[in-house]
Amino acid sequence: IAGITQAPTSQILAAGRRMTLRCTQDMRHNAMYWYRQDLGLGLRLIHYSNTAGTTGKGEVPDGYSVSRANTDDFPLTLASAVPSQTSVYFCASSYSGAKGNEQFFGPGTRLTVL
Amino acid sequence: DQQVKQNSPSLSVQEGRISILNCDYTNSMFDYFLWYKKYPAEGPTFLISISSIKDKNEDGRFTVFLNKSAKHLSLHIVPSQPGDSAVYFCAAMTSGTYKYIFGTGTRLKVLA
């Protein structure tokens, strides 16, 4: 693989269910991010990680958790999904997030919570 | 509170003419600014960036201008091509924070 991949491509989920969105990059980037895109609201940062083993909260972290066990993987977990979490989720990575480095985005996961 | 604003949801331009996309920000601590382009059903792709120590950066048909006193940046595309039709996002960040804040996007349509 080359770049950044996300799985699944799309998912319909019942409210209250647990869901993990997967993200993998093979560019050996230090920093990784999760965003959600909603109509009229643009891209909003959920969580980020500046290096393996560390994570931080973004603008809209509530209801989501992340882990960064290694450099390549950055899964996003919804412990108990709610309809307001219906969105398109993008994972991204950058060599470093410290000085405005460009981010590389995955193709997105479209999640619908009913 | 929207720290990065793109007040024009859409813009239409004739092929060959200049496209100007605008972005305003409120946080004076931002020192890096980036533009991304997004096609439907794809992730955003990086276009061009600028740091706060500059007021202009150019890459081919794309130029970004930064006016720090007005807290305003703009992306110029010259000449515009039909393939430029996409949603454009500006983003801003403060070095060391890892938090990129995006605007709401402007949908550009280049008419052939």
Side-chain angles (χ1 to χ4, degrees), chain A:
Chain A
I1 57 171
I4 187 163
T5 59
Q6 293 183 236
T9 302
S10 65
Q11 182 75 46
I12 298 173
L13 190 65
R17 297 297 294 267
R18 180 184 180 90
M19 176 74 193
T20 295
L21 308 185
R22 300 185 297 279
C23 175
T24 299
Q25 54 104 358
D26 66 354
M27 297 174 282
R28 307 304 291 171
H29 284 168
N30 292 312
M32 296 188 75
Y33 315 81
W34 275 104
Y35 293 88
R36 59 178 289 174
Q37 184 191 9
D38 302 289
L39 196 63
L41 296 175
L43 289 155
R44 293 181 292 168
L45 181 65
I46 304 171
H47 285 289
Y48 67 93
S49 167
N50 59 341
T51 190
T54 67
T55 62
K57 293 182 179 180
E59 301 169 84
V60 288
D62 295 342
Y64 305 95
S65 63
V66 292
S67 61
R68 187 89 183 276
N70 57 60
T71 298
D72 299 344
D73 301 299
F74 191 44
L76 176 74
T77 297
L78 291 67
S80 179
V82 295
S84 62
Q85 292 176 311
T86 294
S87 187
V88 180
Y89 291 86
F90 290 101
C91 180
S93 70
S94 64
Y95 174 71
S96 167
K99 287 196 173 183
N101 299 95
E102 65 177 281
Q103 296 173 305
F104 294 80
F105 283 82
T109 293
R110 182 174 293 275
L111 181 67
T112 303
V113 183
L114 302 176

Side-chain angles (χ1 to χ4, degrees), chain B residues 42-91:
Chain B
E42 294 183 11
T45 55
F46 171 77
L47 270 177
I48 191 168
S49 64
I50 189 167
S51 75
S52 60
I53 62 172
K54 295 184 176 182
D55 54 19
K56 177 182 174 181
N57 190 27
E58 194 171 353
D59 183 2
R61 296 186 298 116
F62 302 92
T63 302
V64 56
F65 295 92
L66 176 62
N67 182 334
K68 289 186 290 293
S69 61
K71 294 191 177 67
H72 177 83
L73 64 155
S74 60
L75 175 68
H76 293 211
I77 306 173
V78 183
S80 301
Q81 300 173 354
D84 296 329
S85 297
V87 177
Y88 289 78
F89 291 98
C90 66

Side-chain angles (χ1 to χ4, degrees), chain B residues 22-33:
Chain B
N22 294 304
C23 181
D24 297 293
Y25 62 95
T26 58
N27 188 341
S28 58
M29 297 300 291
F30 289 147
D31 55 359
Y32 284 94
F33 305 88

